[in-house]
Amino acid sequence: MIKLSSRLSAVFDQVAASRKELGPGRVIDVGSDHGLLAVSCLENGIATEVICTEIHEGPAMHSKEALKEAGFEDRSNVFVTDGLNGMSLKKGDIVVIAGMGGLNIIDIITRCLENEPSELLKDVRFIVQPQKSVNLVRKFFAERGFVFEDESVCTDREFFYIIMRMGYDSVPYELGSFKECYGVLLPGKAASGDELVKAYFAHLDEVFEIRSRSDFVVREALDERKKHENK
């Protein structure tokens, strides 16, 4: 059995939650991190088939070898491509984009929106874990009509990571500075006593105190956060 890092375990949990809703189907892992998540999804019955994509040949070969060694060569495909280029999504697909910069995630999903029918995307789920620019990813999702089904926090090697589980209904909306920076669903979890989310918010408070000097959006979000805390 593959042992996942804390970060990939948190991503796996969101994939598993989506699978319960969607029923059997594929998992497409974009930037597949040596195929570890893909193997784990097959081992645990979370995917009927997996597709891994890598932009470079070397990492793609690592994923292919991992799937072969686990005995899943006949239920997997590995492609050297940029994001989802060349992929045709199907109803029930779960697309994972983890461990990548937020701007790269936005670029990949923008191209996906251009290439896939809107009605099909309503039966697809996206699990994303941006390494940075989390606020821009949230803003993008809202403006492009995605629905936040869940947000979770994990720690790995003393770093915080945010995982978002997204559906799509094509209706755009605005989040506002606070939700862009602190999360759409995370504030409710913090209010309910989630200690990890509370620790993450304390970390953000420190980071945003510095960034707020030159970033209006962050300053506005931090001011709203302080108002909530003082109630």
Side-chain angles (χ1 to χ4, degrees), residues 44-90:
N44 290 278
I46 302 303
T48 56
E49 175 190 353
V50 297
I51 294 174
C52 296
T53 76
E54 289 283 359
I55 197 167
H56 298 298
E57 183 74 31
M61 292 306 296
H62 287 305
S63 293
K64 192 167 186 176
E65 190 62 30
L67 287 157
K68 182 179 178 180
E69 288 181 1
F72 295 124
E73 195 171 14
D74 62 334
R75 297 171 59 193
S76 61
N77 282 291
V78 180
F79 297 98
V80 179
T81 189
D82 183 358
L84 290 165
N85 284 2
M87 302 293 106
S88 293
L89 297 185
K90 297 178 182 178

